[in-house]
Amino acid sequence: MKALKICFWLFYTFHYTLVLVKASDSLLSPKGVNYEVAALMSMKKDMKDELKVMAGWDINSVDPCTWNMVGCSVEGFVISLEMTTMGLAGTLSPSIGNLTHLRTMLLQNNHLTGSIPAEIGKLSQLHTLDLSGNELEGKIPSSLGSLFHLSYLRLSRNKLVGPIPKPVASLSGLSFLDLSFNNLSGPTPNILAQAYSITGNNFLCSPSSAQICMGNSKPINDTSSPAKVTGHHRWVLSVAIGISCTFVISVMLIVCWVHWYRSRLFSTSYVQQDYEFDISQLKRFAFRDLQIATSNFSRKNILGQGGFGVVYRGCLPNGTMVAVKRLKDPNYTGEMQFQTEVEMIGLALHRNLLRLYGFCMTSNERLLVYPYMVNGSVADRLRETCREKPSLDWNRRLHIGLGTARGLLYLHEQCNPKIIHRDVKAANILLDESFEAVVGDFGLAKLLDRRDSHVTTAVRGTVGHIAPEYLSTGQSSEKTDVFGFGILLLELITGQKALDAGNGQVQKGMILEWVKTLHQEKKLEVIVDKDLKGCFDPDDLEISVELALQCTQSNPNLRPKMSEILKILEGLVEPLAPAEESQGGTNLGEARACSSFSRNYSEVHEESSFNIEAMELSGPR
């Protein structure tokens, strides 16, 4: 039997080695040169690298996976090139089409010139392509329309000319297409991307004016006739050109006026719009306007603060209440990268996610503007300082957990790219007018970490809510959020803070250990919030506690997915009665009498997030 096991192990080792050898052989030319190395070296040859960021790229290397800015799969194929803001100039080599396993290519904010090589259309696995902020010329290659896996395409702020290729416009899988601020011309085709921007292309026209576009594309001087232009003809031509210029200028002035009028109209009505809005409708606020709205960021208007920044109550000129988040460390990224990431966050639209109204950028400020939630956060309601308000009943608490699970499920499985929250806690779950759970700060963890890798340079979160693997290694995943959700469930059940299980002794993970002990002793009724006064189902309590304990297991692989959590909660939550659905189990007249603006926000201050200084990670990347 032992000999049989040894033989099996030797066979498995040989087979695995053979697979790796075949994979490496598939990358080698008859001369033994790695095709991907050759493609990357061609890129290096055609680019001017003044900062020497490609100095480590070596033609004699068999494995490019250790090179700077290059990412590889487990099999050793190049799957990502992240060369953002590296001071690169020169042109893009057509050899890039040989990187057939490439999924992500980020070359924005460099100084690249020349045309976009049509060979990029060979990259059938490409998901993300960003060439914005360069000086690329020529037409957009129609071959990009064959990239059916592409979900993010940005070619803005270049010098591209010609029409928008119909194959590119017909890519229905695109989440975001940005062709703004080029010199594109001709009729605008029907674009199937979920969100797109083509502003700043003055020669583009609508499909209805296709004939005018075609007319304008004809050359003014007809060189086919050898006859000389007479003085009369010159006069007629000058008058025609003058009239044409006057007409064009008039049309441009009208378009600018319409754009200004729509922007002004939007500034007074954007709060009432539905959740289905285009990315171009994100409002860019002036810093002065937000200063006025928050009374110069007065301490009296602070709603809460944490590791990401301070949140202020604000009132816009039209009377709309907003929450303004003033981010800490505003110099973490460039303006265009900040705007790109804000736009990506703005694409995440769900009834259980906090909607982003707009943003503000200055040389030293980064601010985000959200709707104001009149019922505060779950932390406010569980530890209400205005005690004449009725507490949340049992079914409402389960309903809050259900709404939170739906929002997190959307971030994990329906967003592209997916977003990991990394700070799921009661203070970040807000309650709208109907007491529906709304997940807040869901994009900030991604926004404040420049790398897309699951390994982050700083641990962000709140003590007592951080998963052990994230705290010890800095590695986060969807299961990191699952851990935080489990702690949130325990907060909803017990009404206690994660660090204080009712006795005032602050101790890391105390609520979790406290519940584990009472669960083993089968004394679950002891942990239930006293405000519920026995108004709960013992069976539902046991299922909820067991679910919370599954979510907070130390091994992340043993924790359930958000989709599995959602199914369990859907079986527990009863439909809300109409009165309860609109009032959340409380009298709104009483709620207004005890204004949320007059609350003591010390609870939020006590749960403020923290940052662990950047950890040095092993490896060249």
Side-chain angles (χ1 to χ4, degrees), residues 454-489:
H454 65 285
V455 179
T456 64
T457 55
V459 174
R460 301 186 182 276
T462 305
V463 176
H465 301 261
I466 303 177
E469 74 278 2
Y470 184 33
L471 187 61
S472 60
T473 66
Q475 292 186 341
S476 63
S477 67
E478 301 95 319
K479 298 302 181 69
T480 307
D481 287 351
V482 171
F483 184 94
F485 180 82
I487 298 296
L488 171 66
L489 272 183

Side-chain angles (χ1 to χ4, degrees), residues 340-371:
T340 298
E341 294 174 339
V342 166
E343 288 172 350
M344 291 301 294
I345 293 171
L347 289 174
L349 302 176
H350 191 275
R351 65 176 297 184
N352 296 111
L353 297 180
L354 185 63
R355 177 185 173 189
L356 180 64
Y357 280 165
F359 59 96
C360 172
M361 290 183 293
T362 69
S363 59
N364 56 0
E365 291 281 356
R366 302 287 187 270
L367 301 100
L368 301 175
V369 182
Y370 297 101

Side-chain angles (χ1 to χ4, degrees), residues 488-556:
L488 171 66
L489 272 183
L490 295 182
E491 289 184 283
L492 288 168
I493 294 170
T494 64
Q496 304 293 334
K497 299 179 186 178
L499 294 178
D500 186 1
N503 57 7
Q505 298 178 3
V506 178
Q507 183 178 343
K508 181 178 177 181
M510 185 170 185
I511 188 175
L512 181 57
E513 300 304 322
W514 180 57
V515 172
K516 282 182 179 180
T517 301
L518 292 176
H519 179 260
Q520 293 174 353
E521 298 174 357
K522 300 187 183 300
K523 297 179 180 179
L524 293 182
E525 67 280 356
V526 177
I527 71 172
V528 179
D529 191 348
K530 295 180 181 178
D531 289 340
L532 293 174
K533 300 177 181 178
C535 298
F536 60 89
D537 188 307
D539 294 334
D540 289 352
L541 171 62
E542 184 174 357
I543 295 174
S544 302
V545 172
E546 289 180 352
L547 176 61
L549 295 180
Q550 290 178 18
C551 293
T552 51
Q553 296 184 85
S554 57
N555 186 344

Side-chain angles (χ1 to χ4, degrees), residues 364-409:
N364 56 0
E365 291 281 356
R366 302 287 187 270
L367 301 100
L368 301 175
V369 182
Y370 297 101
Y372 175 74
M373 292 288 136
V374 295
N375 286 310
S377 68
V378 173
D380 295 334
R381 297 295 300 184
L382 291 178
R383 296 175 283 278
E384 188 63 69
T385 57
C386 194
R387 299 312 295 180
E388 61 265 25
K389 284 189 178 182
S391 63
L392 299 170
D393 61 29
W394 175 255
N395 191 51
R396 170 55 62 185
R397 298 186 189 208
L398 292 182
H399 193 80
I400 290 172
L402 178 65
T404 304
R406 286 172 175 162
L408 293 175
L409 176 63

Side-chain angles (χ1 to χ4, degrees), residues 56-72:
W57 292 22
D58 183 8
I59 185 62
N60 297 316
S61 175
V62 179
D63 180 16
C65 297
T66 59
W67 293 2
N68 184 31
M69 304 175 294
V70 178
C72 292

